[in-house]
Amino acid sequence: MKAGRLGLLSQLKGKRVSIGNQGSGTLTLTTQLLEASGMSLNDLRAEKLKPLDALEKFKKGELDAVFLVSAAEAPLVRSFYETPGIRLMNFEQADAYVHLFPFLSKVTVPRGVVSISYDLPRQDIQVLAATATLVGKNDLSPVLVTLLLGETYDILKTYSYLQKPGEFPSGAGLDFPVHVDAEIYLKDGPSFLHRHLPFWTAVWIGRFAKIVIPLLVILIPLFTYIPAAKNLLLRLKLSQVYEELKVIEKNASNSVLKEKNFKDLADIERRVGNIKVSMLDAKELYDLKGHVGEVRGRLNLYP
């Protein structure tokens, strides 16, 4: 805006104001701020101009104020600063706007931060900073999420006038849900792999880990239970044989069932001979064979 005290947007009524070109974020934000201030574009002599066109008209005295959304370090902003008779508006109601719009924050532009030698600006000024949101589709590859955020960190390192180191990128004040990989990246930063390995090497190792680790989580318990399950099956098989031996031993003295007893015992011996066990279970098998032999001995005692 041109020199003169201006602290409320309502003071712009009837003024010649550039509100941002059609389709720009500046125009969208301007409209929201005016509506929150109880105004509409009809209350202004509004012009939808691109920043450079607005600057030229501003210098010629054809505009009273310009809405501008840009990084503080941008050459365009410096061009506005260096134009005689122009200064930043001090938002006296900055706290109220920040309360209404979570994507806004109040920022103090320190005196002389643009140019100490020219004392620009000539006083501390409260301005509004809008959050730029990086939005992607739901099916965006986690690899691209990591790559984009890594590049974003590198870009934002050069912006230091009005933000604290490491303040951005951030997941605060967003209108969209944060991608799970972005949330992890914002919280913990780049993974160990991305810090120490070439990008694609880290990506493939990460993908391999995502496949293998869940499989191990499933398979390791299975490997633990497999021996126990095999042992249970063996016990059931041996128990069944012992039950049959008990019946044969009970009927050993019955001459009518003698032939049947020998036949059943021969079947048991054949089945026991086909049982395969591990070294750990060999004792149980040989105990069973011994008991089968004892039952045969008893059958032979009876004529």
Side-chain angles (χ1 to χ4, degrees):
M1 61 154 291
K2 292 189 175 180
R5 180 167 178 74
L6 182 66
L8 304 174
L9 288 182
S10 58
Q11 293 175 267
L12 292 176
K13 284 186 176 181
K15 302 291 186 181
R16 300 168 299 176
V17 182
S18 171
I19 57 175
N21 56 294
Q22 191 67 41
S24 67
T26 301
L27 178 58
T28 301
L29 180 59
T30 299
T31 304
Q32 290 178 295
L33 294 178
L34 291 175
E35 288 178 356
S37 306
M39 301 170 61
S40 69
L41 298 183
N42 295 328
D43 293 315
L44 311 174
R45 293 161 63 185
E47 296 189 39
K48 297 179 181 179
L49 302 173
K50 294 181 179 180
L52 288 175
D53 296 333
L55 177 60
E56 290 303 313
K57 295 194 72 171
F58 211 17
K59 289 179 177 180
K60 295 176 182 178
E62 298 174 4
L63 289 174
D64 299 307
V66 174
F67 280 94
L68 182 65
V69 177
S70 182
E73 296 81 0
L76 177 66
V77 176
R78 180 176 292 273
S79 298
F80 275 90
Y81 279 135
E82 295 174 350
T83 300
I86 294 177
R87 69 174 179 84
L88 286 173
M89 169 182 162
N90 184 55
F91 277 82
E92 296 177 1
Q93 296 175 315
D95 288 321
Y97 289 111
V98 171
H99 180 76
L100 289 174
F101 303 107
F103 57 85
L104 292 178
S105 56
K106 181 177 73 172
V107 176
T108 298
V109 180
R111 178 175 179 175
V113 71
V114 176
S115 174
I116 294 178
S117 58
Y118 290 100
D119 194 22
L120 296 175
R122 291 186 169 85
Q123 65 183 52
D124 288 353
I125 299 173
Q126 288 186 162
V127 297
L128 294 175
T131 301
T133 306
L134 184 61
V135 182
K137 294 184 178 180
N138 290 331
D139 58 355
L140 186 65
S141 168
V143 175
L144 288 178
V145 171
T146 301
L147 182 60
L148 288 171
L149 283 174
E151 291 299 317
T152 302
Y153 270 107
D154 292 339
I155 293 171
L156 291 177
K157 286 178 183 177
T158 60
Y159 291 84
S160 57
Y161 281 3
L162 305 179
Q163 71 184 43
K164 299 175 183 177
E167 185 177 3
F168 295 102
S170 167
L174 301 179
D175 295 325
F176 297 88
V178 182
H179 191 285
V180 61
D181 290 281
E183 192 170 11
I184 294 172
Y185 194 99
L186 291 172
K187 180 182 177 181
D188 302 326
S191 68
F192 175 85
L193 294 175
H194 283 88
R195 288 197 301 269
H196 296 90
L197 295 174
F199 178 76
W200 282 111
T201 303
V203 167
W204 285 111
I205 293 177
R207 286 181 176 178
F208 179 77
K210 286 182 179 180
I211 296 173
V212 171
I213 291 176
L215 285 177
L216 290 178
V217 170
I218 296 171
L219 294 177
I220 288 176
L222 286 178
F223 290 139
T224 303
Y225 290 120
I226 285 174
K230 290 176 65 177
N231 188 267
L232 177 61
L233 290 174
L234 178 62
R235 295 289 181 273
L236 291 174
K237 188 179 292 186
L238 297 183
S239 297
Q240 182 181 358
V241 173
Y242 275 114
E243 287 296 323
E244 295 176 20
L245 286 176
K246 284 170 60 179
V247 173
I248 294 173
E249 188 176 24
K250 182 180 178 182
N251 298 324
S253 60
N254 191 331
S255 59
V256 177
L257 298 175
K258 182 177 181 180
E259 184 178 348
K260 180 179 185 303
N261 288 337
F262 275 108
K263 182 179 179 181
D264 291 343
L265 187 60
D267 181 63
I268 290 174
E269 289 174 328
R270 178 184 57 78
R271 284 156 45 201
V272 170
N274 291 330
I275 295 176
K276 304 297 182 183
V277 297
S278 66
M279 292 177 60
L280 296 177
D281 297 320
K283 182 181 182 302
E284 282 81 358
L285 179 60
Y286 280 98
D287 285 345
L288 175 59
K289 288 182 178 180
H291 293 149
V292 171
E294 290 178 8
V295 173
R296 178 171 286 281
R298 290 190 183 184
L299 286 179
N300 290 328
L301 292 175
Y302 294 97

